[in-house]
Amino acid sequence: MLSKASKYAISAVIYLTNNSTIDKKLGSKEIAEAIEIPAPFLAKTLQQLTKKGIISSIKGPHGGFYLSEKNTDKTLFDIIDCVDDIEKFNSCYLSQNNCNENNPCVAHHIYAPFKDKLIRKLKTKTIIEMAEEFKQNSNLNNQIFAVLT
Amino acid sequence: MLSKASKYAISAVIYLTNNSTIDKKLGSKEIAEAIEIPAPFLAKTLQQLTKKGIISSIKGPHGGFYLSEKNTDKTLFDIIDCVDDIEKFNSCYLSQNNCNENNPCVAHHIYAPFKDKLIRKLKTKTIIEMAEEFKQNSNLNNQIFAVLT
DNA sequence: TCATAAAAAGATATTTTTATCTTTATATAT
DNA sequence: ATATATAAAGATAAAAATATCTTTTTATGA
């Protein structure tokens, strides 16, 4: 339901959180290889995230992407909204035009509460938290989460 | 979340249900105009639906699309599965690869029950029922449901 | 039998999304 | 200062989804 760009973004931000520091910035290629997604495409997405202040970057030698204090409180919601436009969640699940409480589509009454819970969750789930959960679930190999496709 | 093709299909089938009989078959152009969607594209979609027996068609003069007895028990699920592939509902909402009960994505525990309810609903919601609801909600004009976009 | 109207099938075109490539700007180290 | 590594920006390409156009098949009515 999310675009690939959004999924790449989530994956990359988690990787950054777990693998970069201000003294060890990561290049877009490096990240892309680690999480196995197309490097030039990710580069674009990282630019978007940087513009909106979700991650940080510095150009030049030893430059790259990293997380600073400004970025710590960002949520899953912020990433998705930055890349995809969160409105897609608010629109009718079956894309019926006039869908609302009085004129609900077939899915409306079951989608609405799900959507509300989801958005609440996305807004409270911080990147830090997510990254931590991923660490704990690093079941397979050390390339923890080539899991987002 | 559904493809446009699927939405067009739902819309067209409802229109057929409410406006065609075996003695008054409707051409794809006629349907497309009524529900305001691209005619040639709809034609393709109607072909798919016909192949799978969700609607019926006859070629030649006074031919067109209509519903026969064979079609009456079809559900919303059947339409979507025909055009889109219903598997998209079963995959992880955030497209995380190994998402499951033991390794759930952020949305998993809220998506799973929603999905189950939705699919159950889609499977029990017959076309006839939907069409009837639309009739009742024909709030605006007689072009009842150019509502699905 | 023939002309016609319509679906079916196939081919092509456009748009959107995803992916790649090239150039420019900038920070760092020498 | 200069060379270099890197992000940023811009341009282009490929793939997928959506839309259109053309030809073929088939049922109907004259």
Side-chain angles (χ1 to χ4, degrees):
Chain A
M1 313 294 185
L2 297 178
S3 69
K4 285 195 183 182
S6 245
K7 291 164 204 162
Y8 293 168
I10 295 169
S11 190
V13 170
I14 293 173
Y15 187 79
L16 260 188
T17 307
N18 285 339
N19 296 278
S20 78
T21 66
I22 188 147
D23 297 319
K24 188 184 152 211
K25 306 185 185 73
L26 302 178
S28 57
K29 268 183 229 155
E30 195 174 349
I31 302 170
E33 267 170 38
I35 65 181
E36 297 185 307
I37 63 176
F41 191 70
L42 176 64
K44 286 293 179 195
T45 305
L46 293 176
Q47 280 176 28
Q48 287 182 272
L49 293 169
T50 305
K51 260 190 192 163
K52 289 268 183 77
I54 293 165
I55 60 177
S56 302
S57 75
I58 289 209
K59 292 181 184 179
H62 300 110
F65 297 93
Y66 65 102
L67 295 176
S68 72
E69 277 94 74
K70 294 179 309 182
N71 313 126
T72 48
D73 60 338
K74 300 302 180 186
T75 65
L76 200 40
F77 181 93
D78 295 319
I79 299 177
I80 295 171
D81 192 33
C82 172
V83 178
D84 251 16
D85 181 9
I86 207 81
E87 260 311 299
K88 72 196 292 181
F89 288 114
N90 281 321
S91 60
C92 167
Y93 193 74
L94 299 178
S95 297
Q96 190 173 306
N97 262 354
N98 303 321
C99 178
N100 58 50
E101 281 299 305
N102 300 325
N103 189 33
C105 82
V106 173
H108 188 88
H109 290 306
I110 45 183
Y111 181 61
F114 159 68
K115 182 196 67 187
D116 292 346
K117 270 189 234 162
L118 176 65
I119 291 185
R120 220 175 306 138
K121 185 110 185 200
L122 294 179
K123 279 188 173 165
T124 49
K125 197 69 167 186
T126 65
I127 291 166
I128 308 283
E129 279 169 12
M130 273 212 83
E132 194 54 39
E133 284 176 20
F134 260 96
K135 259 193 206 158
Q136 287 165 13
N137 276 332
S138 82
N139 33 22
L140 308 172
N141 40 38
N142 61 357
Q143 173 207 333
I144 319 175
F145 65 103
V147 290
L148 292 170
T149 55
Chain B
M1 313 294 185
L2 297 178
S3 68
K4 284 193 183 182
S6 243
K7 291 164 204 163
Y8 294 167
I10 296 169
S11 189
V13 170
I14 293 174
Y15 187 79
L16 259 188
T17 308
N18 285 340
N19 296 277
S20 78
T21 67
I22 188 146
D23 297 320
K24 188 186 154 210
K25 306 184 185 71
L26 302 178
S28 58
K29 269 182 229 155
E30 195 176 349
I31 302 170
E33 268 170 37
I35 65 182
E36 297 184 306
I37 63 176
F41 190 70
L42 176 63
K44 286 292 178 196
T45 305
L46 292 175
Q47 281 175 29
Q48 286 182 272
L49 293 169
T50 305
K51 261 190 192 163
K52 289 267 183 77
I54 293 165
I55 61 177
S56 301
S57 74
I58 290 211
K59 293 181 183 179
H62 300 109
F65 298 93
Y66 65 103
L67 295 176
S68 73
E69 277 94 74
K70 296 179 306 182
N71 311 127
T72 48
D73 60 338
K74 300 302 180 187
T75 65
L76 199 41
F77 181 94
D78 295 320
I79 299 176
I80 295 170
D81 193 33
C82 173
V83 178
D84 252 17
D85 182 10
I86 208 80
E87 261 309 301
K88 73 197 290 180
F89 288 114
N90 281 322
S91 60
C92 167
Y93 193 73
L94 300 178
S95 298
Q96 190 172 306
N97 263 353
N98 302 321
C99 177
N100 59 49
E101 281 298 307
N102 300 325
N103 190 34
C105 81
V106 173
H108 188 89
H109 290 307
I110 45 182
Y111 180 62
F114 159 67
K115 183 195 65 189
D116 292 345
K117 270 189 232 161
L118 176 64
I119 291 184
R120 220 176 305 138
K121 185 109 185 201
L122 294 179
K123 278 189 173 165
T124 49
K125 197 68 167 188
T126 65
I127 292 166
I128 308 283
E129 280 169 12
M130 271 211 84
E132 193 55 37
E133 286 176 19
F134 260 97
K135 259 192 206 156
Q136 289 166 12
N137 277 332
S138 81
N139 33 21
L140 308 172
N141 41 37
N142 60 358
Q143 172 209 334
I144 317 174
F145 65 104
V147 290
L148 293 171
T149 55

